Amino acid sequence: MPELPEVEITRRGLAAALSGQRIVRVVIRNASLRWPIPKQLAALLAGKTIREVRRRAKYLLLDCGDGALIVHLGMSGSLRILREGCAAAAHDHFDLILENGVMLRLRDPRRFGAVLWQDGDPLTHPLLAGLGPEPLSDQFSGAVLHKATRGRSASIKALLLDSRIVAGIGNIYANEALYAAAIRPSAPAGRLSRGRCERLVIALKQTLEAALAAGGSSLRDYVASDGEFGCFQLQYAVYGRANLPCPQCSSPVRALRIGQRSTFYCACCQR
DNA sequence: CGCCAGGCCTGCACGC
DNA sequence: TGCGTGCAGGCCTGGC
């Protein structure tokens, strides 16, 4: 569930609590996430100091100087800042306990998330090395999207979800941004004009910023690191709104599947 | 009960 | 041959 805005909200909460703190203990209750949590992680992390908390796409990077803990929340993961000793509940798989008594706890019912270690620069990890530009950075522009989509016959929505084109766009925000840009999700990416690429990139950035301002989207499992819920789901124009009226023209929102993912759009407003 | 869900990797068949 | 492409499947639990 957590998409880029939710991961960024989490990052901000973690940065305030974890930066500069030393790790004293690691608890692994269930190592079987998407990939197994390395069993030597407990020994490896003890004594390290978290320098800063970064994000690349939907990966959180706890930078320890000589390497980084890489955390992905998958579909149902959340990270909470708690006090050491707080009782673990179901699906609380992993804890980091810090010198000052603060505890970082990962909960992930579906276990599609990941906790990994990368020596040195975490951006060299195979999962991160091939990622495209960050959508909120200046590295991602209409010109960049236009160039990346030339010659591609796949739908624009499929390519927005391709992390090699742009990193960390999830299904909700792909749907919402295409609506905001008035572009049909099924449109062949290679035929989008330069102007429409510009408009889409602006819409994508605005959609992500609006979600950040609303504290992200809380659908089922997501909570911020302080336990707060996001409320951007109240602002969805099309996502999850099959047959409900389009906010602009009131015609019913259509639902279909593109690349195995639920897709929603207004056939009147999006061309 | 079956079906669906915010992610994302792997592998396959197919067509150019 | 080697891509790009669209699928299917896999990993899981929980909610409807």
Side-chain angles (χ1 to χ4, degrees):
Chain A
M1 102 177 243
E3 293 199 30
L4 189 143
E6 293 76 38
V7 177
E8 176 60 20
I9 300 278
T10 299
R11 186 198 68 77
R12 293 175 187 179
L14 264 48
L18 304 184
S19 298
Q21 293 298 323
R22 190 144 65 119
I23 298 165
V24 294
R25 201 156 55 85
V26 175
V27 177
I28 302 172
R29 281 183 212 81
N30 186 350
S32 58
L33 301 186
R34 169 116 200 234
W35 295 281
I37 301 177
K39 51 178 178 282
Q40 68 276 22
L41 202 57
L44 189 148
L45 284 174
K48 289 194 192 294
T49 297
I50 299 170
R51 296 196 178 177
E52 76 180 306
V53 183
R54 296 153 59 198
R55 179 188 58 74
R56 179 77 171 102
K58 293 173 201 156
Y59 296 92
L60 287 165
L61 311 173
L62 276 57
D63 189 343
C64 297
D66 59 350
L69 193 70
I70 301 174
V71 180
H72 196 287
L73 300 176
M75 293 274 270
S76 60
S78 57
L79 285 164
R80 298 285 304 274
I81 296 294
L82 302 165
R83 301 297 306 175
E84 179 183 6
C86 184
H91 313 303
D92 288 342
H93 306 309
F94 178 84
D95 297 340
L96 274 189
I97 293 114
L98 306 172
E99 201 167 33
N100 63 357
V102 163
M103 175 169 68
L104 174 69
R105 173 166 284 167
L106 172 70
R107 175 176 298 178
D108 185 4
R110 292 179 68 181
R111 289 191 273 129
F112 287 180
V115 176
L116 303 164
W117 174 262
Q118 174 66 45
D119 281 324
D121 179 0
L123 300 183
T124 64
H125 191 282
L127 291 168
L128 307 187
L131 293 171
E134 280 293 318
L136 289 173
S137 75
D138 292 340
Q139 311 307 310
F140 184 56
S141 63
V144 166
L145 180 65
H146 188 254
K147 189 175 178 193
T149 52
R150 290 315 88 185
R152 301 293 298 267
S153 63
S155 70
I156 183 60
K157 181 167 181 255
L159 293 195
L160 285 183
L161 293 173
D162 182 340
S163 63
R164 294 165 297 187
I165 304 279
V166 53
I169 302 301
N171 197 35
I172 293 174
Y173 297 104
N175 277 297
E176 292 297 311
L178 286 163
Y179 174 81
I183 295 170
R184 200 169 284 220
S186 57
R191 292 204 212 108
L192 287 181
S193 68
R194 171 70 185 259
R196 302 193 87 203
C197 288
E198 299 279 2
R199 188 148 45 121
L200 179 52
V201 168
I202 290 167
L204 204 37
K205 290 175 191 269
Q206 285 177 345
T207 303
L208 294 172
E209 293 286 4
L212 281 170
S217 300
S218 286
L219 294 188
R220 288 175 186 81
D221 309 286
Y222 174 75
V223 287
S225 63
D226 57 3
E228 286 296 312
F229 296 95
C231 59
F232 189 69
Q233 67 276 11
L234 302 175
Q235 294 181 51
Y236 293 164
V238 288
Y239 181 80
R241 300 188 77 252
N243 301 315
L244 292 171
C246 164
Q248 294 223 36
C249 76
S250 295
S251 59
V253 169
R254 295 199 189 178
L256 74 159
R257 293 188 82 79
I258 291 179
Q260 318 280 90
R261 311 300 300 279
S262 303
T263 301
F264 303 91
Y265 72 100
C266 173
C268 172
C269 297
Q270 292 170 263
R271 297 287 170 182

